């Protein structure tokens, strides 16, 4: 596809409004790692499975491919700065973050709408991404409004007119 077609496809895909998550795990040295992800979605309730995709070009890719467990943290409306930090080039993305170790020692961000702990069960090639389909082992939720992403910009919920 030409560069302009790719840009145009990106704009059409951006019309699908999503929530925003931060996917977290630990590297081989036990250091927490994470990135901002909006490709997260539910797949199956029985068995409980979720999906997300990870760009092949990201330095964290081998860490996620090797991990046995990881977490998906669904960001709340007041966590735009968290999303920006986990999508940035900052070397320590956990600096200043409020988090605690959860089941299987995965890093769980505090103040989220929901947190999920996953077992890294299936990985599939998906073009320039690797697609993770993973089993939900533990989850929680809280009554907070979500952070949304639409048309390349952060949004909040607003009531239908
Ligand atoms: C709202 C938003 C959603 C994103 N969703 C994904 C995603 O689903 N998969 C992915 O691989 N990268 C996604 N990214 C990009 C990564 O978070 C970002 O490229 C990465 O953390 C930068 O890492 P690097 O500095 O190591 O290249 C998203 C970024 C933003 C801002």
């Amino acid at each position: 596809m030409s560069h302009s077609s790719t840009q145009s496809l990106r704009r059409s895909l951006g019309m699908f409004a999503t929530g925003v998550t931060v996917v977290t795990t630990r590297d081989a040295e036990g250091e927490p790692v994470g990135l901002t992800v909006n490709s997260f979605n539910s797949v199956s309730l029985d068995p409980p499975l979720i999906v997300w995709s990870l760009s092949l070009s990201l330095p964290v890719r081998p860490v996620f491919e090797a991990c046995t467990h990881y977490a998906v943290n669904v960001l709340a409306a007041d966590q735009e700065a968290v999303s920006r930090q986990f999508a940035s080039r900052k070397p320590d993305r956990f600096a200043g973050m409020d988090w605690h170790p959860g089941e299987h020692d995965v890093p769980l961000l505090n103040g989220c709408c929901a947190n999920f702990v996953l077992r890294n069960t299936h990985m599939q090639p998906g073009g320039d991404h690797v697609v993770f389909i993973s089993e939900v082992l533990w989850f929680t939720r809280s009554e907070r409004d979500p952070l949304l992403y639409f048309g390349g910009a952060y949004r909040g919920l607003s009531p239908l007119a």
Side-chain angles (χ1 to χ4, degrees), residues 1-85:
M1 225 188 306
S2 69
H3 179 68
S4 67
S5 309
T6 303
Q7 289 303 103
S8 157
L9 173 60
R10 186 196 289 272
R11 279 201 297 277
S12 287
L13 292 171
M15 297 306 286
F16 183 60
T18 68
V20 181
T21 74
V22 171
V23 183
T24 53
T25 191
R26 291 186 190 262
D27 67 16
E29 285 76 47
E31 292 302 317
V33 298
L35 79 159
T36 302
V37 161
N38 74 338
S39 53
F40 171 75
N41 218 323
S42 53
V43 172
S44 162
L45 283 177
D46 186 17
L49 298 173
I50 60 87
V51 65
W52 64 287
S53 59
L54 174 62
S55 170
L56 297 182
S57 66
L58 293 184
V60 292
R61 176 173 64 95
V63 176
F64 280 100
E65 286 177 338
C67 76
T68 58
H69 298 86
Y70 66 91
V72 172
N73 304 273
V74 179
L75 298 187
D78 62 358
Q79 292 182 306
E80 181 180 333
V82 176
S83 176
R84 289 188 186 280
Q85 180 152 323

